């Protein structure tokens, strides 16, 4: 080959030499190439090893071989900070999909217990953003990189940052909630409606508030329970106080167990085990 043609690629920020015949003003030596660099403002990113190899191979080249002899460095933007949750923060119970019988039918009433945290539990870890790494083009011009942005987290009730701001801990025992970048821990699980197939069985280590009723064959277990509607032939279990504002229609299958005080409008045909006391506004039939 007679020499090299020089190609400056501004998009890829690279300088290439291409072997070929019939080249106007070919570059035939390393010295000529470095002179070309100087005259054309190429100041950084030289690949000296590749330059030496190219001119060593030049006499024996029979094809238009390309050598990359100088390259710029693209900037690397920093990574944004992240919030890594250490516990389930989903708003709703999820179905387990347990097989109900030997035929393989699905028990859609079964659900995973609502996620809770204890006082002092770490709910999430906040990773800081990283700084960007600046680049440069072959002319030596700096190409600035963007730094990562910090993760945005607003603390509500029941939580606090660690002293260094990299972790969030629960101040109480309850249910972690995260919405619109705001994190809280609530001691209450609220169901605005009925306990039914939409909610599945409820199992929460805290206070459960149900604005509606509990449908037949469903279970509610919690530390304390407030039900504004009625309870059917369902299972209700709590270790503290119980309020059923609408009463119980157990139809011989209802099963109520309460280790605290209970206030129930009426009890009709249900098994009731309550300690230490029961306050009833009215009773149709009491089966204890």
């Amino acid at each position: 080959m007679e020499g090299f043609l020089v190609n400056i690629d501004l998009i890829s920020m690279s300088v290439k030499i291409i072997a070929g015949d019939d080249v106007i003003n070919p570059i035939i030596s390393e010295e000529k190439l470095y002179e070309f660099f100087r005259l054309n403002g190429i100041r950084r990113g030289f690949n000296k090893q590749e330059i030496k190899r190219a001119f060593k191979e030049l006499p024996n080249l029979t094809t238009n071989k390309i050598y990359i002899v100088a390259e710029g460095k693209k900037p690397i933007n920093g990574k944004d900070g992240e919030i890594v949750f250490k516990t389930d923060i989903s708003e709703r119970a999820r179905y387990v999909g347990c097989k109900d019988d030997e035929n393989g039918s699905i028990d859609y009433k079964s659900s995973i217990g609502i996620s809770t945290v204890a006082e002092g539990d770490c709910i999430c870890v906040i990773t800081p953003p990283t700084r960007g790494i600046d680049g440069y083009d072959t002319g030596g011009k700096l190409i600035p990189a963007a730094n990562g942005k910090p993760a945005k987290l607003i603390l509500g009730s029941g939580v606090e940052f660690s002293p260094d701001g990299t972790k969030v801990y629960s101040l109480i025992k309850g249910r972690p909630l995260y919405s619109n970048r705001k994190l809280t821990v609530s001691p209450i699980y609220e169901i605005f409606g009925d306990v039914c197939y939409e909610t599945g069985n409820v199992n929460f280590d805290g206070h459960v508030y149900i604005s509606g009723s509990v449908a037949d064959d469903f279970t509610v277990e919690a530390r304390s329970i407030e039900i504004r509607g009625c309870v059917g032939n369902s299972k209700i279990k709590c270790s503290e106080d119980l309020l059923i504002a609408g009463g119980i229609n157990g139809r011989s299958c209802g099963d109520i167990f309460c280790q605290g005080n209970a206030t129930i409008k009426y009890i009709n045909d249900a098994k009731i085990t309550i300690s230490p006391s029961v306050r009833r506004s009215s009773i149709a039939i009491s089966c204890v």
Side-chain angles (χ1 to χ4, degrees):
M1 288 291 175
E2 182 179 349
F4 290 106
L5 169 69
V6 181
N7 174 263
I8 300 175
D9 190 334
L10 298 178
I11 296 177
S12 65
M13 296 191 302
S14 66
V15 179
K16 304 171 185 176
I17 55 175
I18 306 168
D21 293 321
D22 300 324
V23 176
I24 300 175
N25 297 323
I27 302 296
I28 60 174
S29 67
E30 293 182 46
E31 292 76 12
K32 290 290 186 180
L33 180 61
Y34 282 110
E35 183 181 357
F36 179 91
F37 288 161
R38 181 179 60 81
L39 295 175
N40 289 273
I42 309 299
R43 297 182 178 87
R44 293 194 66 175
F46 303 140
N47 188 336
K48 295 182 179 181
Q49 185 176 355
E50 187 73 352
I51 292 171
K52 288 185 177 296
R53 187 171 75 91
F55 285 100
K56 183 178 179 180
E57 295 177 355
L58 179 60
N60 299 318
L61 293 179
T62 57
T63 61
N64 294 331
K65 188 169 182 179
I66 298 174
Y67 299 84
I68 299 176
V69 293
E71 285 187 286
K73 179 182 177 183
K74 292 184 178 181
I76 301 174
N77 292 333
K79 293 183 178 180
D80 292 343
E82 293 183 329
I83 302 171
V84 181
F85 288 97
K86 299 297 183 180
T87 187
D88 180 14
I89 57 168
S90 59
E91 295 267 334
R92 301 177 59 166
R94 292 174 287 119
Y95 290 115
V96 178
C98 300
K99 288 194 174 179
D100 190 35
D101 55 31
E102 61 184 11
N103 295 323
S105 62
I106 301 300
D107 177 10
Y108 288 102
K109 297 189 297 296
S110 295
S111 63
I112 297 173
I114 308 305
S115 175
T116 60
V117 292
E119 180 182 350
D121 281 356
C122 178
I123 301 176
C124 65
V125 175
I126 303 169
T127 61
T130 62
R131 293 185 62 83
I133 301 174
D134 294 336
Y136 54 83
D137 62 19
T138 54
K141 181 181 178 181
L142 182 70
I143 304 175
N147 294 325
K149 298 178 181 179
K152 293 184 179 180
L153 180 62
I154 303 168
L155 295 194
S157 60
V159 289
E160 68 175 359
F161 282 114
S162 62
D164 62 2
T166 62
K167 297 180 178 66
V168 176
Y169 291 97
S170 175
L171 294 173
I172 61 173
K173 187 174 186 177
R175 180 188 182 203
L177 298 172
Y178 180 67
S179 178
N180 295 324
R181 297 178 177 174
K182 185 176 183 179
L183 177 64
T184 61
V185 171
S186 172
I188 302 174
Y189 177 43
E190 297 177 298
I191 297 175
F192 296 100
D194 298 334
V195 172
C196 55
Y197 283 102
E198 184 177 351
T199 64
N201 295 327
V202 176
N203 188 333
F204 179 61
D205 189 11
H207 179 73
V208 170
Y209 171 84
I210 301 166
S211 68
S213 299
V214 180
D216 292 344
D217 299 322
F218 283 87
T219 299
V220 179
E221 297 185 47
R223 284 209 311 269
S224 59
I225 301 172
E226 178 181 353
I227 303 169
R228 303 311 302 178
C230 298
V231 172
N233 59 341
S234 310
K235 181 178 179 181
I236 308 296
K237 183 178 180 180
C238 62
S239 57
E240 296 177 5
D241 293 348
L242 171 66
L243 167 66
I244 303 177
I248 303 169
N249 293 300
R251 294 195 291 280
S252 300
C253 298
D255 189 353
I256 310 298
F257 179 84
C258 174
Q259 291 180 294
N261 294 315
T263 301
I264 304 170
K265 185 175 183 180
Y266 65 85
I267 303 170
N268 184 12
D269 204 10
K271 176 184 177 181
I272 312 291
T273 304
I274 299 175
S275 173
S277 65
V278 179
R279 299 187 297 275
R280 306 181 182 94
S281 60
S282 64
I283 302 175
I285 301 174
S286 178
C287 299
V288 179

